[in-house]
Amino acid sequence: MRLKRIRPHFFRCFGRNEWIDLSSDLVLLYGSNGYGKTSLAEALEWVLHGRAKRRARGIEKSKVDYENYYRNIHAPEDEATWVELLVDHPSKGEIKIKRVLPPGSDESVSTTYIDGSEKPISDLSPVLNSFDPIIPQHSLQDFIRAKPKERHTRISLALGLHDLVKFRLVMLDGGSSRIHRRRSYKRNPSSMMSSRS
């Protein structure tokens, strides 16, 4: 799937907006602090996953500071918060995806629409539930500090190699553990016997 456009509506720092074109081969977002770069990345994250990592992490530290995180504080009371995407799906062509947070509702209650019908994101691709193609600035630090194995897994999932990663984790890592146990047993069978009892 390729992202073509995004339109946030009273999401974070955004008010009523027109479509933002992201259909180029390379898109560069630049600007001073407070110009909406992180909010735009989080808008995309929210549509696809129903949450933003920064809010999930922040709410552990301070529930009060991260309450009403998605909704713009200047939004009219009767106005819904939503983000809409236009994507080019490999088999279905152009599709509109929209996540809506009704006015006055809890932030954990949002609804996803695909081409105007209420549907889960997994209807487009089950892989969307298992990988996160968005790496906002705050997540980059976590990625850099991750162990090499975890970093490799994240890159593989971001590239859509979910089945390959799952196979490696289940089959290859499990097989490696069995080989290691057998080698340990051949070297010292009495230690293996005592560890079982």
Side-chain angles (χ1 to χ4, degrees):
M1 251 183 358
R2 183 181 176 115
L3 177 63
K4 297 177 82 174
R5 296 192 289 173
I6 185 170
R7 181 166 55 163
H9 182 80
F10 290 115
F11 181 88
R12 302 278 294 132
C13 70
F14 295 98
R16 288 186 177 91
N17 284 298
E18 297 299 318
W19 285 99
I20 300 168
D21 187 14
L22 301 171
S23 59
S24 299
D25 288 339
L26 177 66
V27 176
L28 177 65
L29 299 176
Y30 65 94
S32 302
N33 288 344
Y35 274 68
K37 302 180 301 293
T38 300
S39 291
L40 194 64
E42 288 182 336
L44 184 56
E45 200 176 11
W46 184 65
V47 172
L48 296 177
H49 301 289
R51 52 97 183 114
K53 286 182 200 162
R54 188 167 80 165
R55 179 187 186 270
R57 220 174 13 246
I59 213 156
E60 292 172 12
K61 298 175 186 171
S62 172
K63 192 170 183 176
V64 174
D65 289 343
Y66 285 85
E67 199 172 33
N68 299 321
Y69 183 81
Y70 302 125
R71 187 168 170 74
N72 183 310
I73 60 169
H74 303 293
E77 286 184 26
D78 60 343
E79 195 85 36
T81 295
W82 49 263
V83 177
E84 191 169 21
L85 306 178
L86 181 67
V87 298
D88 194 7
H89 192 277
S91 61
K92 300 178 182 182
E94 276 193 1
I95 293 175
K96 279 188 182 174
I97 306 169
K98 186 176 189 177
R99 185 175 292 275
V100 179
L101 180 65
S105 65
D106 182 87
E107 291 206 332
S108 63
V109 181
S110 62
T111 308
T112 309
Y113 298 90
I114 298 172
D115 281 336
S117 299
E118 187 177 333
K119 293 180 185 174
I121 287 286
S122 57
D123 276 15
L124 289 178
S125 170
V127 174
L128 282 173
N129 286 337
S130 48
F131 85 101
D132 198 347
I134 305 129
I135 305 175
Q137 181 179 341
H138 54 274
S139 298
L140 195 55
Q141 294 167 354
D142 295 342
F143 178 78
I144 291 167
R145 292 181 185 136
K147 293 179 180 176
K149 185 176 179 180
E150 185 183 346
R151 202 176 303 146
H152 178 270
T153 300
R154 286 187 188 186
I155 291 170
S156 299
L157 291 173
L159 293 173
L161 304 174
H162 175 261
D163 291 336
L164 186 61
V165 170
K166 189 175 177 183
F167 172 78
R168 186 183 66 78
L169 291 173
V170 173
M171 300 301 290
L172 299 181
D173 289 355
S176 174
S177 296
R178 285 191 297 274
I179 289 169
H180 181 70
R181 283 195 306 268
R182 284 184 185 154
R183 284 183 183 160
S184 296
Y185 177 74
K186 284 181 180 177
R187 281 190 216 124
N188 191 358
S190 60
S191 68
M192 293 298 282
M193 295 298 278
S194 61
S195 67
R196 287 180 183 169
S197 50

